[in-house]
Amino acid sequence: MNISPDLEKEEKIENQDQQIVFSAKHLNLYYGSKQALKDINIDIFKNHVTALIGPSGCGKSTFLRCLNRMNDLIDDCKIEGKIEYNGQDIFQMNTILLRSKVGMVFQQPNPFPMSIYDNICYGPRCHGIKNKQVLNEIVEKSLKEAALFDEVKDRLKTSATSLSGGQQQRLCIARCLAMQPEVILMDEPTSALDPIATSKIEELINSLKDKYTIVIVTHNMQQATRVSDYTAFFMLGELIEFNHTETFFSHPQKKESNDYITGRFS
């Protein structure tokens, strides 16, 4: 982590009791011969929101997908280094178990072509939960956590695709929560939404971090300042700077960070 020397002591004191959920150590990733991530070292803390920012193609979404091993699906992808999840090497973990603990919300809302109710139940059913009462409780709890229950409680059997874009994204978050994850990864979850829907998702993120660890990729620096506790700035596959969000935006330690924040990046 690139923490300024004058804040290093304060940082250590503040973080000594925080639980590290993810720890990336000397992480390198290649797509064929192209290196997309270069020697990434970063810790993600429990019950905090960490924003990953940077220009397009800088590696932030690639890093996010590493955290639940989605890059495993890419044939020519090669990864070196280590990522630990609660102290365990994720590359030694069962991917189904990992992804049940580390949920994902994508840029475009992607509800399944089935009812609202069945969208929420899909994951629990795949994991063997068949009891109707238990499923009902999961649906209600997940929709309430996603701040959607009151809007859809009278039409749970209607198609999820009939919902507005913002509602569909909150449904996808509820579908993720139904699996009782510990971490929620969000890849630009509001880029396809209007300002009102975006505001609701941001309010939801702020309410969820009491129970979940959240890592969000965003191009919107204002969004990063509104929702995150920590900000990591990526450029050309490198982690340039990582710090408290308030400190990062008010006193960036690296010239590249300052240029990006002030719009002088080219």
Side-chain angles (χ1 to χ4, degrees), residues 69 83 88-95:
R69 292 181 54 183
I83 302 176
Q88 184 175 358
D89 186 343
I90 68 168
F91 300 112
Q92 302 299 319
M93 292 179 65
N94 179 284
T95 54

Side-chain angles (χ1 to χ4, degrees), residues 33-62:
S33 60
K34 177 184 177 182
Q35 187 169 3
L37 294 176
K38 304 173 184 177
D39 197 34
I40 305 299
N41 295 276
I42 188 173
D43 293 333
I44 305 296
F45 297 106
K46 183 177 181 178
N47 297 129
H48 288 76
V49 179
T50 300
L52 312 180
I53 68 169
S56 296
C58 68
K60 55 188 185 295
S61 289
T62 296

Side-chain angles (χ1 to χ4, degrees), residues 2 10 45 100 114 118 121 125 158 163 177 200 202 220 236 243 258-259 263:
N2 299 314
E10 176 185 347
F45 297 106
S100 71
M114 55 183 68
D118 288 336
C121 291
R125 283 172 172 158
T158 61
L163 298 174
L177 297 178
K200 288 184 178 181
E202 290 181 0
N220 188 323
L236 298 176
N243 212 330
N258 187 64
D259 287 348

Side-chain angles (χ1 to χ4, degrees), residues 16 36 60-61 66-67 86 89-90 114 126 129 131 139 141-142 183 186 188 193 198 212-213 225-226 248 250 253:
Q16 64 184 357
K60 55 188 185 295
S61 289
C66 286
L67 298 179
N86 290 330
D89 186 343
I90 68 168
M114 55 183 68
C126 287
I129 298 176
N131 184 283
V139 169
K141 180 176 181 290
S142 302
V183 180
M186 297 184 168
E188 296 190 62
L193 305 180
T198 294
Y212 306 94
T213 301
T225 64
R226 290 192 295 265
F248 175 82
S250 59
Q253 303 303 305

